[in-house]
Amino acid sequence: MKAINAIRMGGVDVLPLVEGGKGVAVSTGASCGEWAGAGGVGTFSGVNADSYDAEGNVIRQVYSGRTRVARHEELVAYGISGGITQAREAYERANGQGRIHMNVLWEMGGAERILRGVLEGARGLINGITCGAGMPYKLAEISREFNVFYYPIVSSGRAFTALWKRSYSKVSELLGGVVYEDPWLAGGHNGLSNSEDPNKPEAPYERVLKLRQQMRQFGLGDVPIIMAGGVWWLEEWEDWIDNPELGPIAFQFGTRPLVTQESPIGDAWKQKLLTLQPGDVLLQPFSPTGFYSSAVRNDFLRDLEARNERQVAISPEPVGEHTAEYGVGPRKRLVWLAPGDLERVHNWEAAGFTEALRTPDNTLVFVTPENAREILKDQTDCMGCLSHCRFSNWTQHGPDYTNGKKADPRSFCIQKTLQDIAHGGPIDHNLMFAGHNAYRFGQDPFYSNGFIPSVKQLVERIMTGR
């Protein structure tokens, strides 16, 4: 095993080990500060970050605004306060070691306002900003304003080229690194393009090499690339270390810090990760963001899969094969289905899925009355946690703050479920993000007998390469 040496990143020498950001109260200042204190790059999440009361208890994010816009303002205020809180804790725990990064998603609601608010309120505490989920062209401009390094998250050289030409070339001195997030291996939301098949993963080496070749054309041969997704034992990546073809490489760990003593997630979640099997993590298309995302295939995802299968195409008038009448809703508004689909509908209704909900794509999905009430309530309670949400049809841009389409019942309220699981909610009935290598917790002798390490112990173990 090659020696794992420090690399130059963000103006200092650090271990090439980066903690991946996990949003909605999961990557906290506690874990971030300990990771940085061990000499690496710690990351806290700026997505719905927690604040605490005087006794150190989490202040749950409760919304009282009567309109979506009013609740969105509350969300932004919560985000700024929570981000500052987590930055302060990370800074205190790091004791001047390593680097402290804040992770934001450009497509989260109020992203620019929250990012600016946290950077203003935590001046001097944050060394870098990692940002993905969309095309964050303004990231460089904001970083220059606050004199922090920035780390765009991309899944291809093509995406980075677009960012560089439009914006980043103007603030090249603060580009601390580029995160390559593998769209088939990383947990959370993934950047699969329309030309890439979710069922046909591509080897990361060639994709990262293309990214490096593109960066060299821009004079960025010495800017680190951070490999994110699928990294477990560094001995498996030995040919990447000190490889002149790839240039300086660091490795990001997103899922593994979940199972540490400083991780805020509940014991049930940690124990579930320790018992996963190959294939238990699903790359699925149900997110209200429109991106694919990787999560544990639990009852929550199985329900979404089944809901999407209970779906039929409709026509507002009889045309082609749509010759069978069907009445939708209490008023029985007529639509037309294919006769075979009508038979399927009758079978679903007999099984209790009696409520037909319209989608933006001229289809109906069938759910139980209880599910229908929950879906409609979640859509009504929307607080604009995304810049655009297909589940609730919210968009944070006026004049009417909707995307012009019907709200889509085939998706779900992501803020509700992630807040719930992050604060002790049931793990089988909430979205549980994880990388595709999470099953390796159960195969790694480091975790034998249910051992849960501290962050410091985890970093030390990773540094052995094994």
Side-chain angles (χ1 to χ4, degrees):
M1 178 66 201
K2 293 178 181 176
I4 302 169
N5 299 311
I7 65 172
R8 194 75 176 172
M9 187 188 302
V12 300
D13 292 335
V14 293
L15 297 178
L17 309 180
V18 179
E19 179 185 17
K22 298 162 287 295
V24 186
V26 171
S27 286
T28 62
S31 178
C32 169
E34 295 296 332
W35 194 286
V41 178
T43 305
F44 72 89
S45 174
V47 185
N48 294 138
D50 278 339
S51 297
Y52 310 106
D53 63 21
E55 285 73 44
N57 301 309
V58 171
I59 299 172
R60 294 303 301 271
Q61 298 186 9
V62 178
Y63 297 86
S64 57
R66 297 178 62 85
T67 66
R68 286 182 174 185
V69 174
R71 293 190 293 273
H72 181 68
E73 291 302 309
E74 294 177 80
L75 176 111
V76 171
Y78 277 130
I80 294 172
S81 175
I84 294 170
T85 296
Q86 300 304 327
R88 287 173 177 165
E89 180 167 9
Y91 183 81
E92 291 170 2
R93 284 178 174 259
N95 197 29
Q97 303 300 307
R99 297 276 90 177
I100 294 171
H101 289 182
M102 173 181 171
N103 175 256
V104 294
L105 307 178
W106 197 247
E107 294 301 328
M108 75 184 196
E112 185 174 351
R113 293 171 62 194
I114 291 171
L115 179 53
R116 289 181 182 276
V118 175
L119 289 173
E120 179 64 42
R123 279 186 182 270
L125 309 184
I126 299 170
N127 307 118
I129 303 297
T130 59
C131 184
M135 296 295 280
Y137 294 110
K138 289 188 177 181
L139 181 60
E141 170 192 326
I142 296 171
S143 297
R144 179 169 54 191
E145 181 179 339
F146 291 93
N147 194 33
V148 297
F149 288 89
Y150 64 101
Y151 299 78
I153 301 172
V154 300
S155 58
S156 68
R158 182 173 59 184
F160 177 75
T161 297
L163 291 165
W164 176 261
K165 290 184 175 180
R166 178 167 169 178
S167 172
Y168 296 174
S169 60
K170 302 171 186 175
V171 195
S172 59
E173 71 280 5
L174 289 177
L175 179 64
V178 178
V179 182
Y180 169 76
E181 187 175 72
D182 190 279
W184 293 278
L185 294 173
H189 288 103
N190 298 342
L192 281 168
S193 70
N194 292 332
S195 63
E196 292 164 338
D197 188 337
N199 298 312
K200 295 181 179 179
E202 299 177 13
Y205 188 94
E206 292 301 320
R207 293 171 66 90
V208 171
L209 178 58
K210 289 179 181 178
L211 172 60
R212 174 60 74 194
Q213 290 169 341
Q214 191 65 66
M215 290 173 64
R216 283 187 173 123
Q217 291 183 22
F218 303 140
L220 304 173
D222 293 329
V223 173
I225 293 175
I226 302 164
M227 174 62 206
V231 183
W232 197 269
W233 297 323
L234 288 184
E235 65 182 2
E236 299 171 335
W237 300 78
E238 191 169 7
D239 60 333
W240 289 53
I241 299 170
D242 296 329
N243 183 330
E245 189 173 47
L246 293 179
I249 294 285
F251 298 94
Q252 179 167 301
F253 298 82
T255 302
R256 288 188 74 178
L258 288 172
V259 184
T260 59
Q261 296 169 20
E262 292 84 357
S263 170
I265 69 174
D267 288 340
W269 189 348
K270 292 178 184 179
Q271 292 303 317
K272 180 66 174 180
L273 290 171
L274 290 173
T275 59
L276 291 178
Q277 301 297 315
D280 281 351
V281 175
L282 176 69
L283 182 59
Q284 48 86 18
F286 307 122
S287 172
T289 63
F291 293 103
Y292 276 84
S293 69
S294 296
V296 175
R297 191 167 183 253
N298 57 7
D299 289 346
F300 181 86
L301 283 188
R302 291 188 187 96
D303 178 70
L304 284 167
E305 290 177 287
R307 186 191 306 174
N308 279 262
E309 290 170 0
R310 292 191 302 273
Q311 183 173 189
V312 294
I314 61 174
S315 172
E317 57 188 30
V319 60
E321 64 176 1
H322 292 81
T323 58
E325 290 185 0
Y326 182 75
V328 179
R331 298 184 181 181
K332 301 299 180 184
R333 296 184 183 275
L334 285 182
V335 296
W336 279 261
L337 285 64
D341 284 343
L342 182 60
E343 182 178 354
R344 295 168 65 208
V345 167
H346 289 327
N347 290 335
W348 294 332
E349 289 176 331
F353 302 102
T354 56
E355 298 298 310
L357 302 179
R358 293 177 183 262
T359 79
D361 300 321
N362 292 320
T363 66
L364 297 175
V365 293
F366 287 80
V367 299
T368 65
E370 181 183 8
N371 287 154
R373 288 191 294 271
E374 181 181 17
I375 289 168
L376 294 175
K377 183 180 187 305
D378 289 346
Q379 290 171 335
T380 301
D381 291 345
C382 173
M383 74 296 290
C385 74
L386 300 173
S387 62
H388 306 276
C389 177
R390 68 185 180 104
F391 174 69
S392 68
N393 85 356
W394 158 271
T395 178
Q396 66 186 25
H397 306 293
D400 60 359
Y401 299 97
T402 72
N403 61 17
K405 300 179 180 180
K406 290 182 181 296
D408 195 334
R410 296 168 295 186
S411 188
F412 56 92
C413 177
I414 195 165
Q415 213 262 5
K416 173 188 170 183
T417 184
L418 292 182
Q419 280 283 349
D420 193 38
I421 195 170
H423 297 100
I427 61 171
D428 288 330
H429 302 291
N430 280 300
L431 183 66
M432 188 194 309
F433 282 139
H436 284 259
N437 268 356
Y439 70 91
R440 297 185 69 174
F441 280 114
Q443 300 180 353
D444 192 329
F446 185 52
Y447 301 95
S448 60
N449 299 317
F451 174 65
I452 296 179
S454 67
V455 167
K456 184 175 184 293
Q457 288 172 320
L458 175 59
V459 172
E460 289 173 348
R461 176 70 172 194
I462 292 171
M463 283 295 291
T464 69
R466 299 186 299 276

